[in-house]
Amino acid sequence: MEYYIRTEADVKIFVHDINPGGKTTILFIHGWPLSHRAYEYQFNKLPAMGFRCIGMDTRGFGKSGKPHTGYSYNRIADDIRGVVHALDLKNFVLAGHSMGGAAAIRYISRYNGYGVSKLALFGAAAPSLTMRPGFPYGHPKEDITQIIESSLKDRLQMLRDTAPMFFSKPITQPQSDWFFLMGFEASGIATAACAMTFRDEALFNDLDKIRVPTLILHGIHDQVCLFPLAEVMHQSIRNSVLIPFENSGHGLFYEEQDKFNSELARFIGQV
């Protein structure tokens, strides 16, 4: 099923809903600059295991509305809340990759974990993607600024240049095209504005507010959200488990599909 949900901010959010009769619901939040289609290889397998899989395109990306403003973590969390309300989701698993993982964390913090029974984070951009005083594990802020400037000057070339960072090994042309085409769907303003968000915002105070069991899956070769971020999250989130992916970079759900699907299903507890 595919449909649109109009949020309180009057933005249409596109939703892809597979196996609505599944016993357990997983709401997937994609990363920058992708869309729900990044989870193709989860949507191919997990519904057959009994899961209801919902993928939403965050504002500015994929098939969702593309407003000129509203790309903070708070606003994205508000959009997630709008989807949860519209679909009347209860006891669901909230799952997020990269910036989507950060948005999932903010949702938990901002809405006191409303409706969420478990949290799953994949290469999450938390607690900070950039280096800060006392936090040396991210990227220099200047590197993210360069991505923002490239997005505003030549976004298509930026997507081509960024694609190899997503994977742990040299990529094929089809892999590059897969990444490029999802990024191409996004709004240019959203692409740059979200990069400003993950450059400037941090979630240190959010981690302690997570009260649900949390799974952290992270590629040890991740060049985007470096592996030490996963270790910090694991140390900061009570009742969390960290599973390193030895053969993956940032796109672990693509590079190690079988392991990824198996670990996620095991965490949720249906297999």
Side-chain angles (χ1 to χ4, degrees), residues 52-271:
R52 177 187 185 185
C53 294
I54 301 174
M56 61 173 277
D57 289 343
T58 58
R59 61 170 55 213
F61 296 86
K63 297 180 180 180
S64 283
K66 297 174 171 59
H68 198 72
T69 60
Y71 294 100
S72 67
Y73 285 138
N74 281 350
R75 176 55 72 189
I76 297 170
D78 292 346
D79 289 342
I80 295 171
R81 180 66 180 89
V83 171
V84 171
H85 174 74
L87 299 182
D88 193 26
L89 300 182
K90 297 180 176 67
N91 297 316
F92 68 96
V93 178
L94 182 59
H97 170 245
S98 193
M99 186 179 183
I105 291 171
R106 178 55 55 84
Y107 172 85
I108 295 281
S109 171
R110 188 166 171 81
Y111 288 102
N112 196 29
Y114 182 85
V116 177
S117 60
K118 293 183 178 181
L119 174 66
L121 303 171
F122 323 130
S128 174
L129 194 67
T130 57
M131 295 178 180
R132 299 173 186 273
F135 188 79
Y137 306 115
H139 296 281
K141 184 169 287 189
E142 295 77 14
D143 290 358
I144 310 302
T145 299
Q146 180 59 50
I147 291 174
I148 295 167
E149 292 174 350
S150 297
S151 297
L152 295 172
K153 181 179 180 181
D154 190 344
R155 184 171 65 95
L156 303 186
Q157 187 60 53
M158 182 279 295
L159 291 172
R160 286 297 188 199
D161 293 341
T162 303
M165 294 180 63
F166 198 80
F167 303 94
S168 63
K169 299 180 179 67
I171 63 175
T172 65
Q173 190 61 47
Q175 286 175 312
S176 178
D177 291 345
W178 175 77
F179 181 93
F180 177 86
L181 290 172
M182 276 189 281
F184 179 75
E185 284 186 293
S187 154
I189 290 295
T191 302
C194 282
M196 293 177 192
T197 292
F198 59 67
R199 179 192 65 183
D200 297 337
E201 293 196 36
L203 298 105
F204 294 100
N205 294 331
D206 300 74
L207 299 181
D208 190 54
K209 298 178 183 178
I210 298 173
R211 299 287 189 270
V212 295
T214 301
L215 175 67
I216 302 169
L217 305 180
H218 212 107
I220 65 170
H221 305 292
D222 197 326
Q223 301 176 61
V224 180
C225 298
L226 307 178
F227 188 75
L229 299 188
E231 296 175 317
V232 172
M233 284 187 284
H234 179 43
Q235 293 166 5
S236 303
I237 301 173
R238 69 194 73 182
N239 198 17
S240 66
V241 58
L242 168 61
I243 299 178
F245 275 55
E246 305 289 340
N247 300 305
S248 291
H250 197 48
L252 65 167
F253 51 82
Y254 178 91
E255 295 188 276
E256 293 185 76
Q257 299 166 25
D258 291 342
K259 177 179 179 179
F260 183 96
N261 292 340
S262 175
E263 294 292 357
L264 181 57
R266 182 178 295 111
F267 169 70
I268 297 172
Q270 286 199 207
V271 296

